[in-house]
Amino acid sequence: MNMKGMKWFFWAGVSFVCLNCFSRERVGGEDKGAAGKEPPDREAEPLDRGALNAFLQRIVGDKAGQFEIAYIAPENGKDVFELEGGAAGARGGGGKVAGAGRRIVLRGSSGVSVAAALNYYLKNYCHCLITWNGTNLHLPGVLPGVTERIHKRTPYQYRYYLNYCTFNYSMAWWDWQRWQKEIDWMALNGINMPLALTGEEAIWQEVYRSMGFSTGELDRFFSGPAYFSWLWMGNIDAWGGPLPEHWKDSHKELQQKILHAERAFGMKPVLPAFTGHVPPSFKDRYPAAKIKKTNWDAGFEDVYILDPSDPLFEEIGKKFLEAQTRAFGTDHLYSADTFNENVPPASDSSYLDGMSKKVFASMALADPKAVWVMQGWMFHYNAAYWKPAQIKALLNAVPNDHMILLDLYSESHPVWNRTDAYYGKPWIWNMLHNFGGNISLWGRMSHAAADPSQTLQDPAAGRMVGIGLTPEGIEQNPALYQLMLENVWRDSPVDVSAWLRAYALQRYGDGGAAADSAIGEAWRILEASVYSGGPGEGGNESIIVARPTFEKSIDRVLTKLDYDPGKLVTAWDLFVKNAAAFSHSDGFQYDLVDISRQVLANYASPLQQKIAGAWRLKETAAYREYSRQFLDLLEDMDRLLATRHDFLLGRWIKEARANGVTASEQDLYELNARDIITLWGDKESGLREYSCRQWSGLIAGYYKPRWEMFFHYLDQSLVSGKEPDWKAFDREVKDWEWKWVNSHDRYDALEKGNAVLVAVELYNKYRKNL
């Protein structure tokens, strides 16, 4: 990498290079003159030392000179890393030797392996940890030495990352600096097969304009930025648009930077392929084409899918991959899910066989080395259609070595074990865990710790070639994801108890024997409660995010707990009582706020039922007291969450608006940002609250006013003695929600208040009620 002219920025002790650090003379990891060719042969130069040195600078700053990068060959095609050296008198940041010290050697078979070696060292020798939500990089002045060589080999060829939905529920507004931080995190944790969807709108515009489609026609096709995933998966058209030209141009450039950085680590990004979804006017331009009109049944207009048997399918698929390769290069891995949450028009094996062959042919015509990476979600989601005969017909139409299946939801609803391990295809075990980017404390730690290795050892697992993370949203439940990633470099189950002790030390630092023991006990309680969830789709939601109701739960807001909330309160006791010992820790502050949030969110449900009971019995004084307490609770939760940047609506909106270069663009992106986390469509949307968040600003500015409207109706009823006009309330609240989605009132984008002090204050206020 060309280091000249680079400027460094720092985040929580980690430095980041400015947007100009990657030379624009390179596209998709290649010289512009070589666009469309394969990335350079990594066996000839397996390590990009310039990129790795820059990575070291970003992570450990002036201590980068105490490390040495070296190459080691892979073993049986699998990545390897080694760690050794260092000790007293290690080299300083300037490279000068103090005494007889040696550098710490990070030896890897790829850039990812070298990064993983650094991560292993930071966690196990320095007791440091980098996560989405809280980082501890308080390194000692003299780095500890590695007295015995550490040697690790992954049993997995692929370590996959991301879900189509992640690109919108979490990543919709990311700039290059945030992407670089994530790519570094991927490398540290051994990920080598990331999904890469950014910037695809520019490629599709090039393809369809070459076929004569006008800007107006494409405006009725491209969605807004918060909804791209469902556009590319063939579920919706145009919602949240029209998409500005600046977005297409800037995000094409952003994708080139993303791919360059991922390939510099030796990652092999998965790019999209054509799935048949075409603009609405396609049927008019090509009236003889075989097109199926379909609907997602979520309140949106029909979309149009080109049948793979139509000759235009291969033509368009080829055009798209050729254009994509010119812009972004290729590692021959292509994602395509032709019937995501849609049912094929026929169920006979011959149709599915032919369809699958045509989809693959559209890839192979442009890239004979193409490997189709297919999400297995539809086999779970539409299990009534996808029986063994249908799945087998779809898969067997493609050569085994040209397809990889993602068992998308392995920790709760695996498909591999009812398909003879995908009938001989290579496949990857994945933890899905999160739906909609919701932030509930929840997970299945025992499954994350044991299931990947147990499946690997199972003869029935066939060609299991990897593991991965496929959450719909990230930046939540960091402990669960770090536990899952512990599997990357091992082929046996993780001892959760021992791992949690180490995790707490790495995340919080040493708080003293008594405090460390107490926090260790708190994590054991968390593992046995919120992190021992059942196979349901995500954690419980709080009634506070529901459109106001007397019901305990409603569609999209399922409040039933599958753990004893009293156990969570006990863990809260331990965190609060030991807060002084860890108040300096970024990770501890996040966890304290998150646990406090979950306890209070759970408490809202019984309080809401007290309101309902008192109102029905016409106990006016009790009703008014409980409703006052409920609104106070919402205010307190909002104030608590305002102390952490992780929980700010204002940050989400600010980042969305930052992508626009005109006022109209900024307003459009803000509308997208507000809508996706509230209504997920228009005011009649059946998906409202699917992507709900318990965030500061959203609670005070959206959820609380809705409950105030509800209580106003109830107050009027108590005065008049008449039943509330629920239809009128429904109309009024829907109009108010839609007005909020389209508004531009400001919310704080910076945290305020002391997280520990506010958490302790609310503990003292509410603990007696629990």
Side-chain angles (χ1 to χ4, degrees):
M1 180 186 297
N2 181 1
M3 305 289 285
K4 186 177 180 180
M6 294 171 67
K7 296 182 180 180
W8 295 95
F9 301 88
F10 289 84
W11 166 84
V14 183
S15 54
F16 290 95
V17 68
C18 74
L19 299 187
N20 295 322
C21 69
F22 287 105
S23 170
R24 294 182 62 185
E25 295 302 310
R26 296 177 66 81
V27 178
E30 308 164 68
D31 292 335
K32 281 187 175 179
K37 297 181 181 179
E38 296 179 31
D41 182 356
R42 296 192 182 104
E43 286 302 313
E45 292 188 21
L47 300 181
D48 186 331
R49 293 176 182 273
L52 288 172
N53 284 327
F55 162 75
L56 280 174
Q57 288 282 348
R58 290 193 297 273
I59 302 302
V60 298
D62 62 3
K63 291 183 171 56
Q66 296 185 37
F67 293 91
E68 177 182 335
I69 295 167
Y71 175 68
I72 184 174
E75 296 178 3
N76 298 320
K78 306 287 183 20
D79 269 336
V80 179
F81 75 74
E82 288 186 346
L83 186 65
E84 64 179 333
R91 293 172 185 261
K96 295 182 179 180
V97 177
R102 300 180 295 138
R103 286 190 174 127
I104 299 158
V105 179
L106 308 173
R107 190 176 291 115
S109 56
S110 66
V112 167
S113 299
V114 170
L118 175 65
N119 198 35
Y120 185 95
Y121 175 78
L122 292 175
K123 291 195 301 182
N124 294 283
Y125 288 84
C126 301
H127 307 307
C128 291
L129 187 64
I130 298 171
T131 75
W132 297 314
N133 310 104
T135 288
N136 170 22
L137 275 174
H138 297 290
L139 297 171
V142 176
L143 297 179
V146 181
T147 56
E148 294 184 7
R149 179 183 296 179
I150 301 296
H151 180 95
K152 297 287 183 179
R153 179 179 75 90
T154 179
Y156 304 108
Q157 181 180 354
Y158 299 111
R159 288 86 66 190
Y160 182 81
Y161 183 45
L162 294 174
N163 180 311
Y164 270 71
C165 301
T166 330
F167 283 82
N168 295 117
Y169 289 139
S170 296
M171 300 169 156
W173 316 116
W174 284 10
D175 59 12
W176 165 242
Q177 184 174 343
R178 180 62 186 89
W179 264 109
Q180 185 175 57
K181 175 183 171 184
E182 193 71 11
I183 294 166
D184 286 348
W185 179 88
M186 293 183 208
L188 286 164
N189 288 285
I191 290 162
N192 70 348
M193 188 186 185
L195 184 63
L197 302 177
T198 304
E200 292 301 328
E201 313 78 49
I203 308 305
W204 276 116
Q205 178 163 279
E206 177 184 337
V207 170
Y208 283 126
R209 279 185 173 170
S210 75
M211 298 174 68
F213 285 80
S214 68
T215 297
E217 288 175 298
L218 296 181
D219 281 347
R220 292 186 290 275
F221 178 56
F222 291 128
S223 72
Y227 297 91
F228 284 152
S229 296
W230 302 276
L231 171 70
W232 303 136
M233 291 189 289
N235 303 126
I236 63 173
D237 287 339
W239 185 259
L243 186 66
E245 284 298 311
H246 174 262
W247 179 283
K248 299 166 195 171
D249 295 339
S250 62
H251 283 71
K252 177 181 177 181
E253 183 177 345
L254 177 60
Q255 173 76 328
Q256 290 168 342
K257 292 177 180 178
I258 291 167
L259 293 172
H260 178 94
E262 290 175 346
R263 288 171 176 150
F265 279 112
M267 299 177 190
K268 293 186 176 182
V270 180
L271 298 174
F274 181 49
T275 62
H277 184 202
V278 293
S281 60
F282 196 95
K283 64 184 184 302
D284 304 316
R285 285 186 171 271
Y286 298 93
K290 297 178 183 178
I291 297 175
K292 179 195 176 188
K293 182 171 69 173
T294 186
N295 195 286
W296 194 29
D297 292 328
F300 297 95
E301 294 183 2
D302 295 333
V303 299
Y304 298 88
I305 306 296
L306 181 64
D307 193 293
S309 66
D310 192 292
L312 283 169
F313 192 100
E314 289 186 8
E315 179 184 333
I316 295 171
K318 181 173 181 288
K319 280 178 178 286
F320 172 73
L321 284 194
E322 288 173 343
Q324 180 175 255
T325 302
R326 285 194 299 271
F328 300 147
T330 185
D331 290 272
H332 315 294
L333 300 173
Y334 304 106
S335 175
D337 297 285
T338 307
F339 296 107
N340 179 71
E341 298 188 4
N342 285 318
V343 178
S347 61
D348 60 282
S349 297
S350 60
Y351 169 79
L352 293 169
D353 175 89
M355 183 272 290
S356 188
K357 286 177 178 174
K358 292 291 185 179
V359 173
F360 177 67
S362 73
M363 303 178 197
L365 282 172
D367 183 358
K369 297 181 180 179
V371 175
W372 182 355
V373 180
M374 179 187 289
Q375 293 186 144
W377 174 249
M378 58 186 174
F379 304 139
H380 164 69
Y381 184 85
N382 286 326
Y385 172 91
W386 291 104
K387 302 298 184 184
Q390 285 72 37
I391 298 175
K392 195 169 187 177
L394 185 75
L395 303 188
N396 286 356
V398 178
N400 283 356
D401 291 335
H402 287 271
M403 179 177 273
I404 299 173
L405 271 295
L406 301 176
D407 199 63
L408 213 69
Y409 199 5
S410 306
E411 84 278 19
S412 293
H413 296 284
V415 175
W416 71 267
N417 57 4
R418 60 182 176 87
T419 57
D420 293 334
Y422 292 105
Y423 307 110
K425 293 289 187 292
W427 67 277
I428 295 173
W429 192 105
N430 291 284
M431 184 180 81
L432 174 53
H433 174 256
N434 181 269
F435 291 83
N438 308 144
I439 62 170
S440 302
L441 278 177
W442 182 82
R444 312 187 79 198
M445 277 193 169
S446 63
H447 291 269
D451 288 5
S453 59
Q454 289 177 353
T455 305
L456 182 68
Q457 307 297 337
D458 188 342
R463 298 180 65 186
M464 177 182 168
V465 295
I467 57 173
L469 298 173
T470 53
E472 288 193 358
I474 57 173
E475 298 179 321
Q476 40 74 33
N477 288 284
L480 179 69
Y481 289 85
Q482 294 303 139
L483 173 61
M484 174 60 195
L485 289 165
E486 197 73 17
N487 290 288
V488 168
W489 299 98
R490 60 187 301 141
D491 59 5
S492 59
V494 180
D495 181 334
V496 178
S497 295
W499 183 87
L500 284 172
R501 288 194 297 272
Y503 174 80
L505 177 61
Q506 295 159 7
R507 185 161 172 79
Y508 308 144
D510 188 349
D516 288 346
S517 177
I519 292 302
E521 176 61 20
W523 271 107
R524 284 190 289 274
I525 294 169
L526 291 172
E527 189 273 329
S529 55
V530 294
Y531 290 119
S532 290
E537 294 192 351
N540 70 290
E541 279 306 327
S542 173
I543 198 64
I544 69 169
V545 306
R547 184 176 287 167
T549 178
F550 281 151
E551 300 299 321
K552 290 183 178 180
S553 64
I554 61 174
D555 188 33
R556 309 292 177 191
V557 183
L558 303 179
T559 62
K560 184 178 180 180
L561 302 176
D562 56 4
Y563 60 88
D564 177 359
K567 291 184 177 179
L568 178 61
V569 173
T570 302
W572 193 32
D573 292 338
L574 292 167
F575 264 80
V576 170
K577 291 174 182 177
N578 291 278
F582 302 104
S583 60
H584 63 282
S585 164
D586 185 31
F588 182 85
Q589 291 172 23
Y590 174 87
D591 291 342
L592 177 61
V593 169
D594 201 25
I595 292 168
S596 302
R597 174 204 57 77
Q598 189 66 59
V599 169
L600 298 178
N602 291 350
Y603 173 57
S605 288
L607 188 54
Q608 176 242 16
Q609 286 302 294
K610 288 181 179 180
I611 296 169
W615 184 85
R616 286 169 176 149
L617 293 172
K618 307 306 179 187
E619 296 175 350
T620 304
Y623 153 74
R624 287 180 174 157
E625 175 60 20
Y626 292 142
S627 58
R628 182 195 64 77
Q629 290 179 16
F630 191 88
L631 295 175
D632 282 352
L633 176 65
L634 296 182
E635 289 182 2
D636 285 337
M637 289 182 66
D638 196 88
R639 187 161 57 91
L640 169 72
L641 295 169
T643 65
R644 289 289 308 186
H645 70 276
D646 316 77
F647 302 110
L648 297 180
L649 170 64
R651 186 179 70 132
W652 175 252
I653 292 175
K654 181 181 179 181
E655 290 173 354
R657 293 185 66 87
N659 281 273
V661 292
T662 67
S664 61
E665 287 181 12
Q666 292 167 355
D667 288 349
L668 176 68
Y669 300 153
E670 180 173 357
L671 186 152
N672 273 249
R674 287 170 176 252
D675 194 30
I676 191 71
I677 60 173
T678 54
L679 296 180
W680 216 114
D682 64 18
K683 63 183 181 180
E684 301 295 337
S685 173
L687 292 174
R688 73 173 190 274
E689 265 70 82
Y690 181 83
S691 184
C692 61
R693 316 292 169 93
Q694 294 171 36
W695 283 350
S696 179
L698 195 58
I699 294 177
Y702 186 77
Y703 300 137
K704 181 171 177 275
R706 291 197 306 188
W707 283 100
E708 288 175 326
M709 291 169 61
F710 183 65
F711 295 148
H712 177 68
Y713 267 75
L714 298 182
D715 289 341
Q716 287 183 322
S717 174
L718 287 173
V719 172
S720 69
K722 297 179 181 179
E723 184 73 12
D725 185 344
W726 294 120
K727 289 184 178 179
F729 171 73
D730 192 55
R731 289 192 300 270
E732 184 177 340
V733 75
K734 286 178 179 178
D735 288 343
W736 183 88
E737 290 166 346
W738 187 239
K739 182 180 178 181
W740 185 89
V741 164
N742 285 274
S743 65
H744 303 292
D745 40 319
R746 297 292 182 90
Y747 293 95
D748 287 333
L750 297 175
E751 59 194 40
K752 60 181 181 181
N754 183 292
V756 174
L757 293 180
V758 175
V760 171
E761 175 196 337
L762 297 185
Y763 175 86
N764 291 332
K765 178 177 179 178
Y766 287 98
R767 180 62 180 89
K768 60 182 179 294
N769 299 330
L770 303 177

